[in-house]
Amino acid sequence: MVGTAFLCLLSVLSSSIPNTSSTDERVDLIELNHFFDENGRHVFDQVIFYQWSTTHHRYHVQAWRLVKDSSQLPKQSWKPSGYRCVWYDEGTLRTVFASAFRETWTQIDPERSNRQLLPQDQRTGLSKPMIDMLRKTNSPRQVAEVADAETTVR
């Protein structure tokens, strides 16, 4: 009962404070891809987040984002050792960490090609922040169910 009351209070407080949610997560590989058209003209840059599939012995795209600003580019991290992307994603400060990184220049979009290996609707995507899930609930019972589901997932 105390936990439910606390979650309700958290929900009320977070709904009145804009842009306070954040989420941190790990993926197995971050790819910075520079895509070029058939004439060699630069079209866009994207960051692709992969998870390793032990079943298929290959990387599957978990999520991707177009690079709109240089601050979104992956940066090397020393503690812990790896690579990190940090950006605001619809009001949420999102941090994605991976121990592996690659940078590619292609005329074939690796994210789209990966859809043949794992359809887009089967991708896990990036996690939803707890604050956002709480904002979408309507009752204390739903808040408690979301909190229980979140702790089970993590």
Side-chain angles (χ1 to χ4, degrees):
M1 185 69 174
V2 173
T4 304
F6 174 74
L7 289 173
C8 287
L9 177 62
L10 178 65
S11 177
V12 170
L13 290 175
S14 67
S15 64
S16 63
I17 305 171
N19 300 327
T20 58
S21 60
S22 67
T23 183
D24 298 333
E25 60 194 290
R26 287 181 167 267
V27 296
D28 293 318
L29 171 68
I30 295 174
E31 176 179 358
L32 173 58
N33 173 255
H34 309 280
F35 181 76
F36 294 83
D37 68 13
E38 64 278 350
N39 296 314
R41 291 180 296 224
H42 181 256
V43 179
F44 60 81
D45 296 322
Q46 63 183 331
V47 179
I48 307 171
F49 306 102
Y50 294 92
Q51 289 292 79
W52 178 255
S53 169
T54 54
T55 305
H56 298 100
H57 305 291
R58 63 180 173 235
Y59 287 107
H60 286 162
V61 172
Q62 181 175 342
W64 64 277
R65 296 292 188 273
L66 284 176
V67 175
K68 298 176 183 172
D69 185 271
S70 62
S71 66
Q72 293 175 282
L73 296 173
K75 295 181 178 45
Q76 191 164 11
S77 171
W78 300 104
K79 286 189 179 181
S81 179
Y83 297 85
R84 182 178 318 274
C85 285
V86 181
W87 75 100
Y88 275 98
D89 187 12
E90 297 179 11
T92 298
L93 181 61
R94 185 175 295 280
T95 302
V96 180
F97 177 84
S99 55
F101 170 78
R102 69 181 173 203
E103 187 169 6
T104 58
W105 294 261
T106 64
Q107 289 186 307
I108 296 172
D109 184 345
E111 181 273 324
R112 292 186 79 125
S113 298
N114 196 267
R115 292 178 192 179
Q116 295 172 0
L117 304 174
L118 181 70
Q120 193 172 5
D121 62 349
Q122 293 179 17
R123 293 179 181 170
T124 58
L126 298 174
S127 65
K128 300 286 184 208
M130 180 69 162
I131 298 285
D132 288 350
M133 288 191 289
L134 292 174
R135 285 180 180 159
K136 293 177 183 173
T137 60
N138 296 322
S139 71
R141 182 177 177 184
Q142 287 176 319
V143 170
E145 289 170 0
V146 168
D148 290 343
E150 180 68 12
T151 50
T152 303
V153 170
R154 291 189 180 195

